[in-house]
């Protein structure tokens, strides 16, 4: 089994979730299974309302679910304590959102080091690490400006620097190009590719933009809370088809 050569970073098995109660109960995820191996870059594509954010938030331990198993980096969410999950969120996972979520009354570097204010790290060390993250996204010179003075693409890079601050193993991105023009958006996606190639980072990128699929090695389509297609399992299916064809040939 080739999958055993890799480390499973995300394992979601038959997850169900719905909103509302009684008559108003609406299923949002209907038996979703998804496995992501270390170093993969996966695009999760689906129309608005298909359940993408819900799934991403569950994987990031930011939301609850009703049935099924969720395991991220060896932590079984149904058994883990909240402190363990919080540590995983802070240290192992980076989040990037459509709306950047930057604080305008702070400078860019202050936004980037904000996660450090929850740790015992010395301020000087935190700043150094923050500058390193800003350097990584090519925005070191703008470190002392407030995000309000930056373009959309630059803001998203600051948000990415903040996500990279703790050197996470997994980056979860929810519509990261949603507020950017298409060229700027493509640059951001290309940068994600670079992070993947150079740092071996595992990325899950949620988008409703079909055209961004060409940047990902593996594309997963979701519709109405059901995975419609997954490049990884299609590879599997192809081999099954091949052996089926072979069997037919042998029979004739
Ligand atoms: N907090 C909530 N309460 C009720 N319904 C919600 C809530 N969050 C999301 N939904 C519904 O769940 C469905 C999936 O939402 P979401 O995961 O945000 O989809 P996507 O990110 O693909 O646009 C949508 O129909 C949405 O209206
Ligand atoms: Mg969404």
């Amino acid at each position: 089994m080739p999958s055993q050569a890799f480390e499973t970073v995300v394992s979601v098995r038959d997850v169900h979730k719905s909103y509302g109660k009684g008559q108003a109960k609406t299923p949002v995820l209907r038996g979703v299974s998804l496995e992501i191996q270390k170093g993969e870059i996966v695009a999760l594509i689906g129309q608005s309302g298909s359940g993408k954010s819900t799934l991403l938030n569950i994987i990031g331990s930011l939301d609850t679910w009703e049935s099924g198993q969720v395991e991220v980096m060896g932590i079984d969410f149904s058994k883990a304590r909240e402190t363990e999950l919080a540590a995983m969120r802070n240290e192992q996972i980076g989040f990037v959102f459509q709306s950047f979520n930057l604080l305008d009354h702070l400078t860019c570097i202050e936004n980037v080091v904000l996660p450090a204010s929850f740790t015992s790290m010395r301020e000087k060390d935190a700043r150094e690490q923050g500058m390193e993250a800003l350097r990584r996204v090519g925005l070191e010179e703008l470190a002392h400006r407030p995000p309000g003075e930056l373009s959309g693409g630059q803001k998203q890079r600051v948000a990415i620097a903040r996500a990279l601050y703790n050197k996470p193993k997994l980056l979860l991105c929810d519509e990261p190009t949603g507020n950017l023009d298409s060229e700027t958006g493509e640059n951001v996606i290309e940068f994600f590719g670079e992070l993947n190639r150079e740092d071996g980072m595992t990325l899950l990128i949620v988008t409703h933009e079909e055209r961004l699929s060409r940047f990902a090695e593996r594309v997963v389509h979701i519709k109405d809370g059901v995975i419609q297609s997954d490049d990884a399992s299609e590879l599997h299916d192809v081999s099954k088809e091949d052996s089926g064809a072979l069997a037919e040939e042998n029979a004739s």
Side-chain angles (χ1 to χ4, degrees):
M1 285 289 282
S3 67
Q4 282 173 342
F6 300 100
E7 192 183 307
T8 302
V9 176
V10 174
S11 171
V12 170
R13 253 172 282 152
D14 198 24
V15 161
H16 289 256
K17 181 181 177 74
S18 46
Y19 285 111
K21 284 200 177 105
Q23 293 276 26
K25 191 166 169 170
T26 342
V28 174
L29 297 179
R30 300 184 292 158
V32 167
S33 296
L34 179 68
E35 233 183 57
I36 302 176
Q37 309 298 331
K38 186 168 186 279
E40 274 197 297
I41 178 160
V42 179
L44 177 67
I45 302 185
Q47 288 176 1
S48 173
S50 55
K52 306 182 298 293
S53 295
T54 305
L55 179 58
L56 192 92
N57 290 341
I58 290 171
I59 292 170
S61 85
L62 298 171
D63 203 352
T64 57
W65 70 102
E66 285 151 26
S67 65
Q69 278 98 51
V70 183
E71 212 176 296
V72 175
M73 287 176 278
I75 299 179
D76 182 337
F77 283 13
S78 59
K79 292 182 186 145
R81 282 193 224 143
E82 183 46 41
T83 49
E84 198 181 354
L85 292 174
M88 181 196 67
R89 274 196 303 271
N90 293 337
E91 294 157 24
Q92 317 255 44
I93 301 183
F95 295 92
V96 177
F97 301 99
Q98 173 174 356
S99 52
F100 320 135
N101 295 353
L102 298 171
L103 301 175
D104 268 334
H105 64 279
L106 301 178
T107 63
C108 290
I109 181 70
E110 285 166 346
N111 269 281
V112 171
V113 301
L114 208 57
S117 59
F118 303 108
T119 69
S120 55
M121 197 176 207
R122 282 168 48 215
E123 197 185 322
K124 186 170 163 284
D125 295 339
R127 287 232 160 202
E128 255 165 46
Q129 196 168 314
M131 289 305 279
E132 192 187 319
L134 279 173
R135 215 172 292 137
R136 188 75 179 78
V137 300
L139 286 183
E140 203 186 357
E141 345 51 280
L142 298 178
H144 304 292
R145 304 252 298 267
E149 291 178 13
L150 274 54
S151 70
Q154 289 171 330
K155 280 182 193 161
Q156 192 56 301
R157 280 179 178 253
V158 174
I160 294 167
R162 182 187 52 196
L164 295 179
Y165 175 80
N166 274 331
K167 302 188 168 67
K169 294 194 176 70
L170 171 67
L171 204 57
L172 298 176
C173 312
D174 195 352
E175 306 271 5
T177 64
N179 282 340
L180 306 176
D181 63 68
S182 57
E183 194 189 331
T184 311
E186 290 190 3
N187 289 339
V188 165
I189 297 287
E190 267 168 24
F191 180 71
F192 287 147
E194 202 180 301
L195 283 176
N196 174 256
R197 285 190 303 276
E198 293 175 8
D199 301 24
M201 197 174 284
T202 308
L203 287 101
L204 175 60
I205 305 168
V206 157
T207 179
H208 66 277
E209 295 179 86
E210 194 67 46
R211 63 184 181 85
L212 294 180
S213 64
R214 66 192 163 93
F215 289 96
E217 280 163 24
R218 177 177 163 200
V219 177
V220 177
H221 281 103
I222 185 169
K223 190 182 174 192
D224 299 332
V226 177
I227 302 280
Q228 299 282 305
S229 69
D230 181 341
D231 286 349
S233 53
E234 269 156 26
L235 284 176
H236 192 68
D237 288 347
V238 166
S239 67
K240 266 198 286 188
E241 276 165 26
D242 281 348
S243 59
L246 214 72
E248 268 173 39
E249 261 175 41
N250 287 343
S252 64

